[in-house]
Amino acid sequence: VQLVESGGGLAQPGRSLRLSCTTSGFTFGEYSMSWFRQAPGKGLEWVGFIRDKGYGGTTEYAASVKGRFSISRDDSKSIAYLQMNSLKTEDTAVYYCSRGAKWPDYWGQGTLVTVSS
Amino acid sequence: DIVMTQTPLSSPVTLGQPASISCSSSQSLVDSDGNTYLSWLQQRPGQPPRLLIYKISNRFSGVPDRFTGSGAGTDFTLKISRVEAEDVGVYYCMQGTHFPYTFGQGTKLEIK
């Protein structure tokens, strides 16, 4: 099982970024996929997740990102996405994707998002 | 939101000695399906988190048997029977029962 995040970088406040989580080694379509983040020197924060299509492919989000971030998936490519709009400086963090929702078992290495003017 | 409180926040341990971390939740973590979605994760320095324990006491694949999870309802414990050098890092409890999912503050395990 492998998960690799990409798409991080520097963005100005108010701008957008899209992160990708490219996976391999498991049947992607059978799993929920989650996103977490960790601000510099801080603890872990749940961002949200997307259910597998068997459970409607619906999403759940933390209040801090609801309405600004959206999670999607492409089962044909085994990729999960995190679209981040209206970025704020407090969104600066390493973003991790993981497999599963209620207990995220495999994690990627993370990608750093820095929001600064 | 469910508040997860870990104690201690820092734990200096002698190699080969046991260590214990507690996690308490502000509400019961028993889900409507009867399961309790309490997990423990380890984050070594400079590394992503790694799942150790799920549903209170189930050891994840590849996790050494010196790691044991226990508890019920609102009070949970992670025990390491004999600490090794590779166990240094920050340990988090996480609840996956109630939205939003939440973590404890983290407990830093270090060697004396």
Side-chain angles (χ1 to χ4, degrees), chain A residues 56-78:
Chain A
T58 53
T59 52
E60 304 288 345
Y61 298 99
S64 57
V65 306
K66 197 169 185 178
R68 299 188 299 123
F69 289 13
S70 64
I71 299 171
S72 60
R73 62 189 298 152
D74 185 335
D75 289 358
S76 68
K77 295 180 179 178
S78 300

PDB file of all heavy atoms in Angstrom, chain A residues 56-78:
ATOM      1  N   GLY A  56     -22.155   5.864  -1.262  1.00  0.00           N
ATOM      2  CA  GLY A  56     -22.631   7.079  -1.903  1.00  0.00           C
ATOM      3  C   GLY A  56     -21.567   8.092  -2.269  1.00  0.00           C
ATOM      4  O   GLY A  56     -21.864   9.121  -2.862  1.00  0.00           O
ATOM      5  N   GLY A  57     -20.302   7.810  -1.905  1.00  0.00           N
ATOM      6  CA  GLY A  57     -19.240   8.765  -2.232  1.00  0.00           C
ATOM      7  C   GLY A  57     -19.434  10.118  -1.577  1.00  0.00           C
ATOM      8  O   GLY A  57     -18.916  11.121  -2.069  1.00  0.00           O
ATOM      9  N   THR A  58     -20.158  10.148  -0.480  1.00  0.00           N
ATOM     10  CA  THR A  58     -20.430  11.423   0.188  1.00  0.00           C
ATOM     11  C   THR A  58     -19.246  11.868   1.036  1.00  0.00           C
ATOM     12  O   THR A  58     -18.328  11.093   1.298  1.00  0.00           O
ATOM     13  CB  THR A  58     -21.683  11.310   1.066  1.00  0.00           C
ATOM     14  OG1 THR A  58     -21.535  10.185   1.945  1.00  0.00           O
ATOM     15  CG2 THR A  58     -22.923  11.101   0.205  1.00  0.00           C
ATOM     16  N   THR A  59     -19.280  13.104   1.440  1.00  0.00           N
ATOM     17  CA  THR A  59     -18.147  13.715   2.134  1.00  0.00           C
ATOM     18  C   THR A  59     -18.549  14.299   3.484  1.00  0.00           C
ATOM     19  O   THR A  59     -19.715  14.598   3.737  1.00  0.00           O
ATOM     20  CB  THR A  59     -17.548  14.847   1.283  1.00  0.00           C
ATOM     21  OG1 THR A  59     -18.605  15.755   0.902  1.00  0.00           O
ATOM     22  CG2 THR A  59     -16.883  14.316   0.035  1.00  0.00           C
ATOM     23  N   GLU A  60     -17.554  14.425   4.349  1.00  0.00           N
ATOM     24  CA  GLU A  60     -17.693  15.081   5.646  1.00  0.00           C
ATOM     25  C   GLU A  60     -16.500  16.009   5.822  1.00  0.00           C
ATOM     26  O   GLU A  60     -15.390  15.677   5.396  1.00  0.00           O
ATOM     27  CB  GLU A  60     -17.722  14.065   6.795  1.00  0.00           C
ATOM     28  CG  GLU A  60     -18.789  12.998   6.683  1.00  0.00           C
ATOM     29  CD  GLU A  60     -20.192  13.527   6.936  1.00  0.00           C
ATOM     30  OE1 GLU A  60     -20.349  14.645   7.463  1.00  0.00           O
ATOM     31  OE2 GLU A  60     -21.137  12.790   6.591  1.00  0.00           O
ATOM     32  N   TYR A  61     -16.715  17.145   6.474  1.00  0.00           N
ATOM     33  CA  TYR A  61     -15.643  18.131   6.626  1.00  0.00           C
ATOM     34  C   TYR A  61     -15.614  18.701   8.039  1.00  0.00           C
ATOM     35  O   TYR A  61     -16.638  18.790   8.719  1.00  0.00           O
ATOM     36  CB  TYR A  61     -15.842  19.294   5.647  1.00  0.00           C
ATOM     37  CG  TYR A  61     -15.808  18.895   4.197  1.00  0.00           C
ATOM     38  CD1 TYR A  61     -16.987  18.696   3.488  1.00  0.00           C
ATOM     39  CD2 TYR A  61     -14.594  18.706   3.540  1.00  0.00           C
ATOM     40  CE1 TYR A  61     -16.963  18.311   2.160  1.00  0.00           C
ATOM     41  CE2 TYR A  61     -14.561  18.326   2.209  1.00  0.00           C
ATOM     42  CZ  TYR A  61     -15.748  18.135   1.525  1.00  0.00           C
ATOM     43  OH  TYR A  61     -15.724  17.759   0.206  1.00  0.00           O
ATOM     44  N   ALA A  62     -14.419  19.136   8.407  1.00  0.00           N
ATOM     45  CA  ALA A  62     -14.280  19.907   9.633  1.00  0.00           C
ATOM     46  C   ALA A  62     -14.878  21.290   9.421  1.00  0.00           C
ATOM     47  O   ALA A  62     -14.864  21.831   8.305  1.00  0.00           O
ATOM     48  CB  ALA A  62     -12.802  20.038   9.993  1.00  0.00           C
ATOM     49  N   ALA A  63     -15.377  21.869  10.485  1.00  0.00           N
ATOM     50  CA  ALA A  63     -16.009  23.188  10.389  1.00  0.00           C
ATOM     51  C   ALA A  63     -15.048  24.245   9.862  1.00  0.00           C
ATOM     52  O   ALA A  63     -15.446  25.184   9.170  1.00  0.00           O
ATOM     53  CB  ALA A  63     -16.555  23.597  11.764  1.00  0.00           C
ATOM     54  N   SER A  64     -13.758  24.088  10.191  1.00  0.00           N
ATOM     55  CA  SER A  64     -12.762  25.094   9.816  1.00  0.00           C
ATOM     56  C   SER A  64     -12.535  25.176   8.306  1.00  0.00           C
ATOM     57  O   SER A  64     -11.992  26.174   7.815  1.00  0.00           O
ATOM     58  CB  SER A  64     -11.438  24.800  10.524  1.00  0.00           C
ATOM     59  OG  SER A  64     -10.999  23.489  10.213  1.00  0.00           O
ATOM     60  N   VAL A  65     -12.940  24.136   7.573  1.00  0.00           N
ATOM     61  CA  VAL A  65     -12.711  24.114   6.124  1.00  0.00           C
ATOM     62  C   VAL A  65     -14.003  23.981   5.325  1.00  0.00           C
ATOM     63  O   VAL A  65     -13.984  24.129   4.090  1.00  0.00           O
ATOM     64  CB  VAL A  65     -11.744  22.979   5.718  1.00  0.00           C
ATOM     65  CG1 VAL A  65     -10.450  23.076   6.512  1.00  0.00           C
ATOM     66  CG2 VAL A  65     -12.391  21.614   5.883  1.00  0.00           C
ATOM     67  N   LYS A  66     -15.105  23.708   5.989  1.00  0.00           N
ATOM     68  CA  LYS A  66     -16.373  23.485   5.292  1.00  0.00           C
ATOM     69  C   LYS A  66     -16.749  24.716   4.487  1.00  0.00           C
ATOM     70  O   LYS A  66     -16.672  25.842   4.989  1.00  0.00           O
ATOM     71  CB  LYS A  66     -17.470  23.152   6.292  1.00  0.00           C
ATOM     72  CG  LYS A  66     -18.692  22.509   5.675  1.00  0.00           C
ATOM     73  CD  LYS A  66     -19.609  21.956   6.754  1.00  0.00           C
ATOM     74  CE  LYS A  66     -20.773  21.202   6.135  1.00  0.00           C
ATOM     75  NZ  LYS A  66     -21.652  20.604   7.163  1.00  0.00           N
ATOM     76  N   GLY A  67     -17.120  24.496   3.226  1.00  0.00           N
ATOM     77  CA  GLY A  67     -17.478  25.591   2.336  1.00  0.00           C
ATOM     78  C   GLY A  67     -16.295  26.144   1.559  1.00  0.00           C
ATOM     79  O   GLY A  67     -16.488  26.866   0.574  1.00  0.00           O
ATOM     80  N   ARG A  68     -15.086  25.818   1.998  1.00  0.00           N
ATOM     81  CA  ARG A  68     -13.884  26.279   1.284  1.00  0.00           C
ATOM     82  C   ARG A  68     -13.127  25.117   0.640  1.00  0.00           C
ATOM     83  O   ARG A  68     -12.551  25.279  -0.435  1.00  0.00           O
ATOM     84  CB  ARG A  68     -12.937  27.006   2.243  1.00  0.00           C
ATOM     85  CG  ARG A  68     -13.516  28.238   2.896  1.00  0.00           C
ATOM     86  CD  ARG A  68     -12.438  29.008   3.668  1.00  0.00           C
ATOM     87  NE  ARG A  68     -11.836  28.210   4.740  1.00  0.00           N
ATOM     88  CZ  ARG A  68     -10.532  27.946   4.842  1.00  0.00           C
ATOM     89  NH1 ARG A  68      -9.689  28.406   3.924  1.00  0.00           N
ATOM     90  NH2 ARG A  68     -10.067  27.239   5.838  1.00  0.00           N
ATOM     91  N   PHE A  69     -13.114  23.970   1.319  1.00  0.00           N
ATOM     92  CA  PHE A  69     -12.394  22.805   0.823  1.00  0.00           C
ATOM     93  C   PHE A  69     -13.407  21.768   0.331  1.00  0.00           C
ATOM     94  O   PHE A  69     -14.512  21.668   0.885  1.00  0.00           O
ATOM     95  CB  PHE A  69     -11.564  22.165   1.934  1.00  0.00           C
ATOM     96  CG  PHE A  69     -10.358  22.955   2.381  1.00  0.00           C
ATOM     97  CD1 PHE A  69     -10.172  24.283   2.017  1.00  0.00           C
ATOM     98  CD2 PHE A  69      -9.406  22.352   3.192  1.00  0.00           C
ATOM     99  CE1 PHE A  69      -9.062  24.992   2.438  1.00  0.00           C
ATOM    100  CE2 PHE A  69      -8.290  23.041   3.625  1.00  0.00           C
ATOM    101  CZ  PHE A  69      -8.120  24.363   3.255  1.00  0.00           C
ATOM    102  N   SER A  70     -12.995  20.992  -0.661  1.00  0.00           N
ATOM    103  CA  SER A  70     -13.835  19.887  -1.108  1.00  0.00           C
ATOM    104  C   SER A  70     -12.954  18.699  -1.476  1.00  0.00           C
ATOM    105  O   SER A  70     -11.851  18.864  -2.013  1.00  0.00           O
ATOM    106  CB  SER A  70     -14.716  20.292  -2.281  1.00  0.00           C
ATOM    107  OG  SER A  70     -13.941  20.611  -3.401  1.00  0.00           O
ATOM    108  N   ILE A  71     -13.447  17.539  -1.137  1.00  0.00           N
ATOM    109  CA  ILE A  71     -12.736  16.290  -1.406  1.00  0.00           C
ATOM    110  C   ILE A  71     -13.467  15.544  -2.513  1.00  0.00           C
ATOM    111  O   ILE A  71     -14.703  15.468  -2.507  1.00  0.00           O
ATOM    112  CB  ILE A  71     -12.662  15.418  -0.133  1.00  0.00           C
ATOM    113  CG1 ILE A  71     -11.913  16.159   0.973  1.00  0.00           C
ATOM    114  CG2 ILE A  71     -11.975  14.087  -0.436  1.00  0.00           C
ATOM    115  CD1 ILE A  71     -11.971  15.464   2.336  1.00  0.00           C
ATOM    116  N   SER A  72     -12.701  15.006  -3.435  1.00  0.00           N
ATOM    117  CA  SER A  72     -13.278  14.213  -4.516  1.00  0.00           C
ATOM    118  C   SER A  72     -12.384  13.010  -4.775  1.00  0.00           C
ATOM    119  O   SER A  72     -11.315  12.885  -4.183  1.00  0.00           O
ATOM    120  CB  SER A  72     -13.440  15.057  -5.789  1.00  0.00           C
ATOM    121  OG  SER A  72     -12.182  15.549  -6.218  1.00  0.00           O
ATOM    122  N   ARG A  73     -12.840  12.137  -5.640  1.00  0.00           N
ATOM    123  CA  ARG A  73     -12.062  10.931  -5.930  1.00  0.00           C
ATOM    124  C   ARG A  73     -12.256  10.525  -7.374  1.00  0.00           C
ATOM    125  O   ARG A  73     -13.325  10.766  -7.973  1.00  0.00           O
ATOM    126  CB  ARG A  73     -12.470   9.816  -4.987  1.00  0.00           C
ATOM    127  CG  ARG A  73     -13.912   9.380  -5.088  1.00  0.00           C
ATOM    128  CD  ARG A  73     -14.280   8.406  -3.938  1.00  0.00           C
ATOM    129  NE  ARG A  73     -13.470   7.187  -3.999  1.00  0.00           N
ATOM    130  CZ  ARG A  73     -13.167   6.462  -2.912  1.00  0.00           C
ATOM    131  NH1 ARG A  73     -13.611   6.821  -1.723  1.00  0.00           N
ATOM    132  NH2 ARG A  73     -12.452   5.374  -3.066  1.00  0.00           N
ATOM    133  N   ASP A  74     -11.225   9.907  -7.929  1.00  0.00           N
ATOM    134  CA  ASP A  74     -11.299   9.313  -9.259  1.00  0.00           C
ATOM    135  C   ASP A  74     -10.902   7.848  -9.106  1.00  0.00           C
ATOM    136  O   ASP A  74      -9.709   7.531  -9.030  1.00  0.00           O
ATOM    137  CB  ASP A  74     -10.356  10.049 -10.218  1.00  0.00           C
ATOM    138  CG  ASP A  74     -10.479   9.558 -11.652  1.00  0.00           C
ATOM    139  OD1 ASP A  74     -10.893   8.397 -11.869  1.00  0.00           O
ATOM    140  OD2 ASP A  74     -10.152  10.324 -12.563  1.00  0.00           O
ATOM    141  N   ASP A  75     -11.894   6.994  -9.004  1.00  0.00           N
ATOM    142  CA  ASP A  75     -11.618   5.585  -8.768  1.00  0.00           C
ATOM    143  C   ASP A  75     -10.888   4.939  -9.931  1.00  0.00           C
ATOM    144  O   ASP A  75     -10.153   3.971  -9.754  1.00  0.00           O
ATOM    145  CB  ASP A  75     -12.926   4.837  -8.474  1.00  0.00           C
ATOM    146  CG  ASP A  75     -13.514   5.192  -7.111  1.00  0.00           C
ATOM    147  OD1 ASP A  75     -12.889   5.989  -6.376  1.00  0.00           O
ATOM    148  OD2 ASP A  75     -14.606   4.697  -6.783  1.00  0.00           O
ATOM    149  N   SER A  76     -11.060   5.466 -11.138  1.00  0.00           N
ATOM    150  CA  SER A  76     -10.389   4.884 -12.309  1.00  0.00           C
ATOM    151  C   SER A  76      -8.880   5.127 -12.253  1.00  0.00           C
ATOM    152  O   SER A  76      -8.103   4.384 -12.859  1.00  0.00           O
ATOM    153  CB  SER A  76     -10.961   5.461 -13.597  1.00  0.00           C
ATOM    154  OG  SER A  76     -10.635   6.827 -13.733  1.00  0.00           O
ATOM    155  N   LYS A  77      -8.487   6.183 -11.522  1.00  0.00           N
ATOM    156  CA  LYS A  77      -7.059   6.522 -11.421  1.00  0.00           C
ATOM    157  C   LYS A  77      -6.496   6.236 -10.035  1.00  0.00           C
ATOM    158  O   LYS A  77      -5.306   6.446  -9.792  1.00  0.00           O
ATOM    159  CB  LYS A  77      -6.832   7.996 -11.758  1.00  0.00           C
ATOM    160  CG  LYS A  77      -7.162   8.360 -13.197  1.00  0.00           C
ATOM    161  CD  LYS A  77      -6.903   9.835 -13.457  1.00  0.00           C
ATOM    162  CE  LYS A  77      -7.217  10.191 -14.892  1.00  0.00           C
ATOM    163  NZ  LYS A  77      -7.020  11.649 -15.143  1.00  0.00           N
ATOM    164  N   SER A  78      -7.350   5.821  -9.099  1.00  0.00           N
ATOM    165  CA  SER A  78      -6.948   5.569  -7.699  1.00  0.00           C
ATOM    166  C   SER A  78      -6.357   6.819  -7.056  1.00  0.00           C
ATOM    167  O   SER A  78      -5.321   6.759  -6.376  1.00  0.00           O
ATOM    168  CB  SER A  78      -5.950   4.399  -7.618  1.00  0.00           C
ATOM    169  OG  SER A  78      -6.513   3.218  -8.124  1.00  0.00           O
TER     170      SER A  78
END
